[in-house]
Amino acid sequence: MSLQPMTRRLMAPDITAMKHVRPVIALTSYHAHTAAIADKYCDFLLVGDSLGMVMHGFETTVPVTLDMMIVHGRAVVRGAKRALVVVDMPFGSYEESPSVAFRNASRVMKETDCGAVKLEGGLRMAETTRYLVDRGIPVMGHIGLTPQSINVIGGFKTRGRTRDEWAAIEEDARALAEAGAFAIVLEAMSGPLAARITEAVPIPTIGIGASSHCDGQILVMEDMLGLSPRVPKFVKKFGAVATAIEDAIKDYADDVRERRFPAEEHTYAMKEGPEPAGGPPAQVTKKPKKLST
């Protein structure tokens, strides 16, 4: 069932207000056409730096640039009319200082017309989060597994599976909420810890591999559609788009090979009218080439 139409686009405070009211629904999106489809059902669309892996074939999100995020962000904003559009700040664009983060985040907001940005990191990003929010830029936090940091943490590893990890991750969540983040993504996190954080903070938690205890859920669209060849354990495939695409391309190739396509219904007919001077064009017959001996 699609969501009820709204007269305006959702904004960051609308997402915050959904806590304890109903689950927040979100997906990633990188194109105008998929954004237009998802817009009917999602509260926010994330232009994730996962586009580096999904769209550009990178092994991680680290190589993604600010310009890449802006190009895809523009497309999604053009496609979506109702959902809040959140754009990831890519690696290297915000960590140096709050002022650098503001310079780059304000560029993203201006050039894409998105409604918010997302930063990875908890306590260490609290000061930057507050700096951006105080200057008019809504911030979504992201803790747990933070893909931009995999070279430090040693890969895509689930967080909070032992209780000795909990205190630091809970502190991350509290620090972001106190700094003014309007929601927090919890990625690849044990269910009990996600439940504890969700209960503790006054802003929505958005789970991706963090159990149904969160206030909302997000998945990479290509993962849940069955377009990605490999997906994490927490992904449920709601479609089989890769198979459908391959079947369609195979049918197309077969039809071209057997000259079934284009058929008459795909071909433009001549309009009625006088023939050009000199009559119809002469048929040209090519002489066969002589084979060399």
Side-chain angles (χ1 to χ4, degrees), residues 262-269:
E264 185 176 350
E265 62 266 28
H266 310 118
T267 306
Y268 295 103

Side-chain angles (χ1 to χ4, degrees), residues 216-284:
Q217 299 293 327
I218 186 169
L219 285 174
V220 172
M221 186 182 294
E222 284 73 5
D223 289 353
M224 58 84 72
L225 288 177
L227 190 57
S228 302
R230 293 180 297 173
V231 298
K233 174 185 177 180
F234 57 74
V235 173
K236 176 181 177 179
K237 291 186 179 181
F238 289 84
V241 173
T243 300
I245 291 174
E246 184 171 355
D247 289 345
I249 293 173
K250 179 182 181 299
D251 289 347
Y252 164 72
D254 290 344
D255 278 10
V256 171
R257 190 177 297 110
E258 299 299 325
R259 298 193 180 277
R260 293 189 295 263
F261 176 82
E264 185 176 350
E265 62 266 28
H266 310 118
T267 306
Y268 295 103
M270 290 289 295
K271 293 183 178 179
E272 293 185 4
E275 290 185 357
Q283 296 294 320
V284 179

Side-chain angles (χ1 to χ4, degrees), residues 62-81:
V62 172
V64 174
T65 66
L66 197 65
D67 287 339
M68 291 167 67
M69 297 306 305
I70 289 171
V71 167
H72 288 277
R74 284 174 180 162
V76 172
V77 170
R78 286 194 294 265
K81 304 303 179 186

Side-chain angles (χ1 to χ4, degrees), residues 68-113:
M68 291 167 67
M69 297 306 305
I70 289 171
V71 167
H72 288 277
R74 284 174 180 162
V76 172
V77 170
R78 286 194 294 265
K81 304 303 179 186
R82 179 196 155 278
L84 169 71
V85 176
V86 182
V87 176
D88 260 340
M89 296 299 293
F91 178 73
S93 68
Y94 62 94
E95 298 91 339
E96 183 177 345
S97 68
S99 59
V100 169
F102 178 77
R103 185 182 311 122
N104 289 326
S106 61
R107 181 185 166 203
V108 169
M109 297 281 288
K110 284 184 176 183
E111 295 188 28
T112 68
D113 202 26

Side-chain angles (χ1 to χ4, degrees), residues 23 57 67 92 124 145 163 187 196:
D67 287 339
R124 65 185 175 84
L145 169 61
R163 288 188 179 273
E187 181 167 359
R196 188 178 172 98

